[in-house]
Amino acid sequence: MNSSVQHTRILKIGEAANQQDDLLAVEEPLEIRLSYGPLRERQQSSISVTMRTPGHDFELALGFLFSEGIIRNYEEVISIRYCRGENQQEAEENIVRVELSPDTQVDLQKLQRNFYTTSSCGVCGKASIEALDTLCTPLTNDDFSIEEKVIHQAPAKLRKAQLVFHYTGGLHAAGLFDKDGELLLWREDVGRHNALDKLLGASLSANKIPLKGSFLLLSGRVSFELVQKALMGGISMMAAVGAPSSLAVQLAQQYGITLMGFVRNQQFNIYSGSHRVSIKEKMQAPF
């Protein structure tokens, strides 16, 4: 079975130079294969290869398929398992095969379109947001709100739960909190997108999507793709320790997502949807 950490020997430089043992976050490729179509005309496609930290691989595959719009619910999945590739030397647990129900309509062109919309350029950004119109609706009608202090407390709670990060310092995390600040679910990975896909996959398999009444905290910066994934999951509020990109803010504003960044040192910035955050001092003009 794959492990999330790996031992190594290092030369640590400080007041003196000493050899000692250390732990690294494991990074290995995961190939996601899809089997779909009528029973007599099944098709198979390798749709993604991502560098990830082993663990929760099935959730990663499910979350990826869901956030990319390939599947809409867990009922469309017949089975998911590890399999070997043509090369028998390939690691058995680095290939995941997802079998979809025969009546599931699959549009692999969605993956191709998304491949060209990750540069955050003006034209591609507009096309990316327009493409979501067929999949998502604005989240402006929910009444979810949260107190400022809950946001301040969340990063420490997520960091405390990150066991692999504690040993390696090399993983991103995505955590889901309720309005009182209780950490409901979290996942770690070397990739920011993978951590969120794992969280969405776990929620999808538990039939908890849309994720209403909770907010998302990310350990790094916020890109357009991460806001898109949150939108697909029905998450109306998200925060991050790092900064958001311009296109991430644009998407959050257009779809009514509350977006916060630089959540650290008892401070944070609100870029969109400030009405969902109860702050200690009144603002002049909420936006």
Side-chain angles (χ1 to χ4, degrees), residues 64-100:
F64 174 81
L65 292 173
F66 174 76
S67 63
E68 294 295 334
I70 301 301
I71 61 175
R72 299 304 300 268
N73 54 66
Y74 190 54
E75 284 68 31
E76 295 179 330
V77 178
I78 296 177
S79 67
I80 180 169
R81 60 183 176 85
Y82 290 110
C83 62
R84 284 192 179 275
E86 296 177 359
N87 182 351
Q88 294 301 311
Q89 297 301 315
E90 291 179 309
E92 183 175 354
E93 295 186 1
N94 280 347
I95 303 174
V96 165
R97 181 171 175 173
V98 182
E99 295 273 349
L100 299 184

Side-chain angles (χ1 to χ4, degrees), residues 31-45:
E31 178 184 354
I32 301 174
R33 296 180 179 178
L34 197 62
S35 179
Y36 59 96
L39 292 178
R40 295 184 179 181
E41 301 176 7
R42 297 293 280 178
Q43 301 183 55
Q44 298 184 30
S45 297

Side-chain angles (χ1 to χ4, degrees), residues 9 37 48 51 78 82 116 132 138 171 196 229 234 236 252 275:
R9 190 74 173 167
S48 175
M51 299 304 296
I78 296 177
Y82 290 110
Y116 290 107
L132 290 175
L171 291 185
L196 182 50
K229 291 177 184 294
S236 62
H275 63 281

